[in-house]
Each structure stands twice: as structure tokens, then as C-alpha cells.
Amino acid sequence: MKPTRGMFLSGLLAAVLGWACGPALAKPPVDGAWQKIENLAPVIGADGKLHTATCSGYPGTDPRFNFWAKRGSSKNLMVFFEGGGACWDNLTCTFPIANLPASVPQFFVPSVPPGTNPSNFDGILKAGAQANPVNDWSMVYIPYCTGDLHIGSATKQYQNVGHPVFPLPPTFSIQHRGFDNFMVVLDWIRKNVDKPQNVLVAGSSAGGYGAVANAAWLDRTFPQAHLYVVADASQGVTTPAFDQGNPGRNSWNIQLAPWVFGADVSLISGLELMRTAAAGLPKAKVAQFTTALDVEQIEFYGVMKAFYGPGGSCPAAAVDWYQQMSGQIKADASVVPNFRHYVAAGSYHTLLRSPLFYSEASAGPTFSEWIGEMLNKRGGTGGQGNGTQWNDVACPTCLIAWPCP
């Protein structure tokens, strides 16, 4: 998630530095070519409800939703959830990400940017890279334009708090329909993908939450497949007031698979999302990546701490975030046998679509090698197979105790 630094955000870090021989697509493409899937009809989703795909409908933006797919040569499938911030109240929903000056806050991507094409991305989406462990996999790329972590199903009214550039009306609606979009995509996948052997559900930032929250639906769609989940820069450090508030997370009417998360989603805090998902999918292998001081995650947490506080006990947002992140990630590793983490040095945000996917090695193995171990070593929940193990890794100073200044 990515708010632009400026206004009250400045200074938050001052205290611390298987398709069958390839799947059948709606219009069979050349192998390895991305196909844009658009003009999507409403569907009865896997949850038995009617879903219509749409972006946020922020005034002046294109509300049309589409997604991309490509056919690989193996009988494996990756579903990738895109990131792009979040909005949940009058302030955050007034200010979309729009390449504006740093003095203007920017919180969420309101539409699919023109010219978007996954073929332009690096990292795990890079075609032809020998070091890419999913190079020959079929892929579905789900864009993000609803401000709700891919888990919302609501239309919400907000008040314009005064945007300095965009001429907004006094009140406007946002379509928090990320879950509806996923249900439409999942319906297409169910009709066009023929029983993959392995399914990787991955996402960055807001998309990491989408991957964790929605993996259960793909597990139920392909029960014969080996399931893997990777959340990139999605640690879930939030505040109770945000998790339980409306405005707050409840602005979105979040949808979580009840057989994994329970019937009352209000009981699942942001920090507990990964643990609950991994425990509820015991045959899956579930992974989490973060840098030790992810600047974007800290900034979003700083907004929550300021307006939906108090948050943790440390007044310094960066230290507070670090203490909660490191404590939760170590706790999850100790009690959830199918969960692993990779904690890297630094403060950058996300790597799955970046060259850092191949070069990040501050925790020992490169991240791409570590993901390769995850995918190759079945070995049950202990992660062992073929004589080696898939382990938790962190840079030497990444998970040390850090007192509040």
C-alpha cells in the first residue's frame, strides 16, 4: 500500500531510519502471450451470490474492470493479486494515487491505469528468466482498483474533504468491490483452467492481503492441486479501532471464506489474518515477505495510529510497527507448521514484480531461490523434501528486540 509522503505523513519515520498442455482461454492465445480479459458479465460466484466486476468509480475515472491471463507450458497456475493502497474514510478516499506532488496525500489506485500489461513487469512475472521458479506456469493477473484489499463488497458514500486538484462533488460513492471482482475472475478460471497440479496464490502490498484472504476459494476450486500462498509486504499491522470501525475496515463489508476464518470476520485482526489462513489451510505452504522497516507499511500504520489509535504502546510509529511485525512473525513461525517468513534488510516496499525478486539475498538465499525451495520441496507441513528444508530466514539484525525510544 502506498500513501505519498507529505502533510501529516512527513516525519513518521523521523524516530528511526495446469492447463491441460496449457489452459484453454476465451480466445486461445499464443503460448506465453498475455491476453486481456474484458467486457465481463455478472456471475453467480463460488459463494452462490451475484457479483458484478467494477473499479472504484471515483469521480472522473474509468470504472471498467478487466484482468489478464496467459498460458504456460506446465500444468501449474499462478494467480497474482495486484497492490495499490487502500481507502476507508472521507480523508483516504478523497485522495487517490494520481502522480501528484508529494505535498498531496495519495492513498489508493482508483482505476486500472491505461496501458497496464503484465508483460511489462519484472520479478516473478518476467518471462524467459531461468531463475524464475514459475517461468513456465500459466498465470492470471488480477488488477486492483477498489481500495479494499481485494476483500470488499460494498458501495460506500464519502464526503469530499477538499482535494486541491480534482473538482469533486461534496459527496461521492466508492465501489469497494474487490471481492466481487475476484469472484468474477474465479468464475472465469473455473471455466477455463483444467485441473492444475500446483496453484500459487501471490500478491504484493494490498494484493498480499488479497492472496491470503482469497486463497481458500482457489483451494476449494482445485482441491486436487498443491496450494502455495505468498504475501509480499502485507504484514497486517493495524489498530483495533481500524479493524473494528466503520469508517475503518468495516467500510468494505469484507468477505472471508467462513470455513477458514469463521462466521464472524470482526474477530480476525489484521495481524491474525496470515496465521488464521495458514492454520485453516494445513496442506498449503504459506509464506510472508517483508523488509524490516517497510516505509509504506509504516506510513499507513502511522495514519491508522493517528486517526484510529492508539495502536501499540510505543508512540513512535516506526518502532511500534517493527515491534508488532517482528513479534507476530516469530509467533506465527512457532505455532503454524506450514508457515515460513523471509525478512530482508532495508525499508523498501514489495519485490515480487521487481528485479529484487532475483537479487534480494540479505537473509541468505536469494528470494527467488527461497520461493523455488517452497515450490519444489513438498515434504508436508515441515517443509522438508528431497533432502533439504525450506526454512524461516531473516537478515542478522532483522528480528532483534528493539525498545521504544
Side-chain angles (χ1 to χ4, degrees):
M1 297 189 291
K2 182 180 175 59
T4 298
R5 294 185 276 284
M7 299 179 75
F8 53 83
L9 295 179
S10 63
L12 282 176
L13 295 180
V16 187
L17 276 173
W19 268 280
C21 294
L25 298 177
K27 296 178 181 178
V30 176
D31 284 359
W34 284 100
Q35 175 187 342
K36 185 178 181 180
I37 313 297
E38 52 190 337
N39 301 319
L40 303 166
V43 305
I44 300 298
D47 61 350
K49 300 176 182 179
L50 180 67
H51 297 279
T52 300
T54 182
C55 286
S56 72
Y58 182 88
T61 65
D62 187 348
R64 291 175 296 179
F65 175 84
N66 48 66
F67 67 96
W68 284 262
K70 76 169 184 176
R71 182 171 61 194
S73 59
S74 69
K75 292 186 178 181
N76 302 314
L77 170 69
M78 180 179 77
V79 178
F80 188 91
F81 288 83
E82 184 180 63
C87 89
W88 59 86
D89 60 13
N90 294 334
L91 171 67
T92 55
C93 291
T94 292
F95 292 97
I97 296 172
N99 296 317
L100 296 175
S103 60
V104 180
Q106 298 177 67
F107 290 95
F108 75 107
V109 174
S111 60
V112 180
T116 297
N117 190 319
S119 65
N120 298 323
F121 298 133
D122 209 307
I124 201 167
L125 296 164
K126 185 175 182 179
Q130 281 194 323
N132 188 349
V134 298
N135 183 47
D136 63 350
W137 290 38
S138 297
M139 299 182 183
V140 173
Y141 185 91
I142 304 176
Y144 175 55
C145 55
T146 51
D148 58 6
L149 311 186
H150 296 274
I151 57 176
S153 185
T155 300
K156 186 75 171 178
Q157 288 284 123
Y158 295 105
Q159 294 182 352
N160 174 16
V161 301
H163 199 288
V165 178
F166 300 144
L168 297 178
T171 62
F172 58 94
S173 296
I174 292 293
Q175 300 291 337
H176 294 299
R177 297 287 175 178
F179 181 76
D180 297 78
N181 291 345
F182 170 62
M183 284 286 103
V184 172
V185 176
L186 183 64
D187 182 75
W188 184 93
I189 291 173
R190 180 181 60 82
K191 294 174 180 176
N192 289 277
V193 178
D194 183 22
K195 295 183 179 179
Q197 294 175 348
N198 299 288
V199 174
L200 169 61
V201 188
S204 293
S205 193
Y209 299 105
V212 172
N214 291 316
W217 293 99
L218 283 151
D219 182 60
R220 178 163 282 193
T221 301
F222 299 116
Q224 81 294 335
H226 295 143
L227 180 68
Y228 307 84
V229 183
V230 178
D232 169 22
S234 319
Q235 296 307 121
V237 180
T238 55
T239 66
F242 170 79
D243 287 341
Q244 299 164 15
N246 188 357
R249 193 178 73 178
N250 288 333
S251 296
W252 305 332
N253 183 30
I254 67 171
Q255 305 294 301
L256 300 176
W259 64 94
V260 169
F261 297 98
D264 188 354
V265 297
S266 68
L267 300 177
I268 308 296
S269 71
L271 273 173
E272 294 170 327
L273 185 69
M274 172 62 80
R275 176 189 292 185
T276 306
L281 297 167
K283 294 183 180 180
K285 296 175 77 172
V286 183
Q288 200 162 37
F289 171 86
T290 187
T291 53
L293 283 173
D294 184 319
V295 63
E296 306 296 350
Q297 293 192 71
I298 291 170
E299 287 188 345
F300 261 96
Y301 178 64
V303 174
M304 294 176 189
K305 191 175 176 73
F307 294 96
Y308 296 84
S313 59
C314 184
V319 178
D320 187 2
W321 181 88
Y322 173 84
Q323 289 175 339
Q324 294 193 61
M325 176 279 292
S326 58
Q328 188 68 42
I329 212 166
K330 289 186 285 188
D332 289 353
S334 69
V335 298
V336 187
N338 58 325
F339 168 79
R340 299 289 186 275
H341 62 251
Y342 191 117
V343 184
S347 60
Y348 67 85
H349 184 61
T350 78
L351 85 173
L352 282 180
R353 301 191 313 175
S354 161
L356 289 164
F357 178 75
Y358 301 103
S359 61
E360 173 56 66
S362 62
T366 66
F367 187 72
S368 60
E369 291 170 343
W370 189 76
I371 291 296
E373 290 295 301
M374 175 192 188
L375 298 174
N376 290 331
K377 311 298 189 290
R378 281 303 307 164
T381 58
Q384 187 169 358
N386 298 339
T388 62
Q389 283 190 306
W390 175 56
N391 296 313
D392 293 311
V393 294
C395 81
T397 60
C398 280
L399 293 176
I400 62 174
W402 196 355
C404 185

